[in-house]
Amino acid sequence: MIPAISVLTNTPIPTNLTVISCPKSQKPPSKNPQNLNQTLKYLTKSGNLDEAIRLIESSPSKFTDPGTYSQLLHSCISQKSLPHGQRVYKQLLKQEYSEKFLENHNLKSKLITLFSVCGELDEARVIFENAVENEGVPESVWVAMAIGYSKNGFLREALLVYVEMLWNCMEPGNFAFSTALKACADLRELWVGRGVHAQVVKSSEGPDQVVNNGLLRLYTQCECFDEVLKVFDQMPERNVASWNSLISGFVKEDKLGEALDVFRRMQREGMGFSWVTLTTILPICARVTALLSGKEIHAQIVKSARRPDVLVLNSLVDMYVKCGVVDYGRRLFDGMRSKDLTSWNTMLTGYAINGYMRVAMDLFNEMASCGIRPDDVTFIALLSGCSHAGLTEDGQKLFHRMEMDFGVSPSLEHYACLVDMLGRAGRIDDALVVVKNMPMKTSGSIWGSLLNSCRLHNEVPLAEAIANRLFELEPYNPGNYVMLSNIYANAGMWDSVNMVREMMQTRRIRKEAGCSWIQVKNKIHSFVAGGGFEFRNSDEYKKIWNKLREAMEEFGYKPNTDVVLHDVNEETKAMWVCGHSERLATVFCLIHSAAGMPIRITKNLRVCVDCHSWIKIVSRVTGRVIVLRDTNRFHHFKEGACSCNDYW
């Protein structure tokens, strides 16, 4: 049910008028009505509202054309000038022909819009109620009130006006449809939106581009991707907003490669782009480490006649740092004419996830010296970076400085970073003390950090107790079961491993498969652990794999089968390790990219110890820089070493 509208209908309209006389130094305006109207039009178009209204107030009987007042109100709306609009309204009420003026639906629509954009919804509603008391009120009056509610955040009230319009046997047109669809999209009211869509189909007036874009946005917001495709395919004309909705639809479906393909198709068809397009596409490039696509977009920004805004530049910096190209991200950051807090946080996060914490702390100090006040996001980035870089002491000092020096109260996320930091360093008892003394209720993320610390330091009894808490808090989170199973497997407790797996089967919980993504030329390739049989059986794969194996054996490499947490023989374990997704992605890149080109891989899980060792040696054997981004951080492999210093 849509709640009823509750608004005042007896709001008094101010009536104090200011009498303005012409200064003696100026000649009084000509009394010729034609000259007066021309003067008024000139003043209105030039935005000189004071002079325009004074002219009407000095000779009200000379201005009898409603169009003149309509143009004047339009100028008041453009400038969002409530005082001027109220003076025009009072003048209309005083006019000898006030009834004629107030029966003019165009003027009523303008007045409703004026009061709405100035936040005076009660006054707008008074005019609206008076207007709809009469029959034959056009769509524009209803829509003006609906838009007024929508612009002020009263989306349900906007929909209610649309419904009220239908109850009054008004046939809606495209203007009304687009307003109703926008409200449905913002409210995620799918079923109401479907009803509006049905009315659009039945309407004698064919939907225009705004209505079609409204339908696209509705189904995108409500994650009905099949409908998004159907509406898009049926549109006779498309603009940038249409393509943006389709791209957003693919993003919501997590079809990132397809979203990039749509962007390229959009460019091939000469559609161009908006800044909204780029702030949608650049995060996709960041997520799948599609640096080539990100660079292409950067080139288009440089060629554009328009200067990119801060949002676009922030997205561009974010793309570079999340593709592991931190130096280039910093060059862009330093070149920005204006920066907001998000700009600083983006750069700090980039340094943190890439393991450059000393540089991050220097930038943080520079930020503070520039008078930029950090927020909770700033400290989450820094504390998380300290945790993964092993900078426990620095992280603790920073945590205590948050509130004392910067007035930022630690939230649950900050405590989670602190607990993770202490646990990774082996100070699990200190981490438990923090948990005990926290001023808020402990969350699953904090217990999860403690469970991971137990995995790193082989604390089986404590892990069991923590896991039982997690199973109560998050009974269907597969990560908790997998981590406990891994802890049991590392301890050789295979009966307990089987017990956890049986529990997962009973609760129908499935472990997330390991996946890796790479970009070769303009295509995103994905690999699943244990999959890619056709690729692994190809001659080119076997050739590269055998060369790598021979070269790596010279360095004494042997698969570390301890990472296979299954009770199977050593040969099977070695085969499973070799089928991990990041290895398949690495070999694919070695085959399909030029010698010396960096390899960039994104993985959905934490890289295992053996794959980490394997990639280090591959970087040395092949002379390639390999950048691997897992769920925790970036690993920059070069000449047999990793930027994480084997701490992650």
Side-chain angles (χ1 to χ4, degrees), residues 285-522:
C285 299
R287 279 184 63 185
V288 297
T289 323
L291 180 61
L292 295 177
S293 298
K295 284 184 172 181
E296 289 173 2
I297 294 168
H298 189 183
Q300 289 179 301
I301 293 172
V302 171
K303 292 176 183 177
S304 174
R306 294 173 296 162
R307 180 177 295 170
D309 59 20
V310 175
L311 290 175
V312 172
L313 292 174
N314 287 345
S315 298
L316 199 55
V317 172
D318 183 65
M319 183 277 296
Y320 276 112
V321 299
K322 287 182 179 173
C323 287
V325 193
V326 187
D327 290 345
Y328 208 99
R330 181 59 186 267
R331 284 174 59 187
L332 277 171
F333 174 81
D334 289 340
M336 291 174 65
R337 296 188 179 183
S338 62
K339 304 180 182 79
D340 59 12
L341 180 57
T342 302
S343 312
W344 291 89
N345 285 345
T346 300
M347 199 64 237
L348 286 171
T349 301
Y351 279 129
I353 62 177
N354 281 277
Y356 304 122
M357 279 309 300
R358 295 301 179 192
V359 187
M361 295 304 294
D362 290 342
L363 183 64
F364 173 69
N365 292 331
E366 181 185 338
M367 172 183 173
S369 66
C370 290
I372 306 296
R373 189 179 181 84
D375 65 357
D376 55 339
V377 176
T378 312
F379 290 103
I380 288 172
L382 293 173
L383 291 171
S384 176
C386 288
S387 177
H388 290 106
L391 302 177
T392 311
E393 299 298 328
D394 291 337
Q396 282 185 286
K397 289 177 184 177
L398 188 66
F399 182 87
H400 294 302
R401 288 183 62 200
M402 277 176 58
E403 191 163 16
M404 187 182 302
D405 294 350
F406 302 100
V408 178
S409 299
S411 67
L412 201 59
E413 288 79 7
H414 299 111
Y415 276 102
C417 290
L418 180 61
V419 168
D420 187 61
M421 188 189 310
L422 294 168
R424 284 177 183 275
R427 296 167 55 181
I428 298 179
D429 289 340
D430 292 339
L432 288 169
V433 170
V434 171
V435 172
K436 183 179 178 181
N437 295 324
M438 277 171 51
M440 67 277 289
K441 188 177 179 180
T442 311
S443 68
S445 63
I446 289 180
W447 290 117
S449 294
L450 284 170
L451 187 61
N452 183 55
S453 300
C454 292
R455 178 188 64 80
L456 292 170
H457 301 286
N458 300 314
E459 294 283 350
V460 179
L462 180 59
E464 290 176 321
I466 292 170
N468 286 330
R469 290 204 179 209
L470 279 168
F471 295 158
E472 292 175 5
L473 286 171
E474 302 171 342
Y476 297 103
N477 183 347
N480 300 327
Y481 296 88
V482 171
M483 200 176 299
L484 180 61
S485 175
N486 292 352
I487 292 168
Y488 283 140
N490 284 330
M493 301 169 63
W494 298 109
D495 289 341
S496 297
V497 170
N498 292 332
M499 179 266 294
V500 174
R501 287 178 182 159
E502 288 173 5
M503 192 186 306
M504 292 178 71
Q505 288 177 354
T506 302
R507 298 181 180 182
R508 297 182 178 180
I509 299 169
R510 298 183 64 182
K511 175 186 175 182
E512 185 179 8
C515 297
S516 293
W517 295 268
I518 55 169
Q519 183 182 31
V520 177
K521 296 182 180 178
N522 281 331

Side-chain angles (χ1 to χ4, degrees), residues 146-312:
I147 291 176
Y149 277 128
S150 182
K151 292 282 188 185
N152 285 275
F154 296 99
L155 301 171
R156 293 200 176 276
E157 285 77 359
L159 266 184
L160 209 157
V161 170
Y162 177 78
V163 173
E164 190 179 349
M165 173 182 166
L166 300 180
W167 283 343
N168 280 268
C169 301
M170 282 292 302
E171 184 177 347
N174 285 332
F175 200 16
F177 289 144
S178 60
T179 306
L181 288 169
K182 182 184 183 303
C184 291
D186 291 338
L187 289 168
R188 309 294 197 275
E189 283 283 3
L190 176 61
W191 293 108
V192 179
R194 286 189 190 278
V196 177
H197 191 178
Q199 291 173 327
V200 171
V201 172
K202 293 176 182 177
S203 174
S204 57
E205 182 183 5
D208 59 15
Q209 196 170 69
V210 177
V211 172
N212 281 324
N213 284 344
L215 289 168
L216 280 176
R217 186 168 178 271
L218 166 72
Y219 290 125
T220 300
Q221 294 288 78
C222 296
E223 300 183 11
C224 298
F225 191 60
D226 289 342
E227 281 85 348
V228 172
L229 288 174
K230 192 179 296 183
V231 171
F232 186 84
D233 289 338
Q234 292 175 352
M235 290 178 67
E237 293 182 10
R238 306 178 185 113
N239 59 10
V240 172
S242 316
W243 290 90
N244 287 349
S245 292
L246 183 61
I247 291 170
S248 297
F250 275 116
V251 172
K252 285 182 179 291
E253 287 288 300
D254 215 29
K255 297 180 177 180
L256 306 183
E258 290 87 340
L260 284 171
D261 289 341
V262 169
F263 176 72
R264 292 192 192 95
R265 178 184 159 196
M266 179 181 178
Q267 300 308 294
R268 284 197 304 269
E269 295 188 12
M271 183 53 63
F273 56 83
S274 66
W275 295 143
V276 173
T277 315
L278 302 189
T279 53
T280 306
I281 287 292
L282 285 169
I284 297 173
C285 299
R287 279 184 63 185
V288 297
T289 323
L291 180 61
L292 295 177
S293 298
K295 284 184 172 181
E296 289 173 2
I297 294 168
H298 189 183
Q300 289 179 301
I301 293 172
V302 171
K303 292 176 183 177
S304 174
R306 294 173 296 162
R307 180 177 295 170
D309 59 20
V310 175
L311 290 175
V312 172

Side-chain angles (χ1 to χ4, degrees), residues 519-536:
Q519 183 182 31
V520 177
K521 296 182 180 178
N522 281 331
K523 189 172 181 181
I524 305 296
H525 301 267
S526 60
F527 302 86
V528 180
F533 295 110
E534 185 178 346
F535 171 57
R536 291 162 71 183

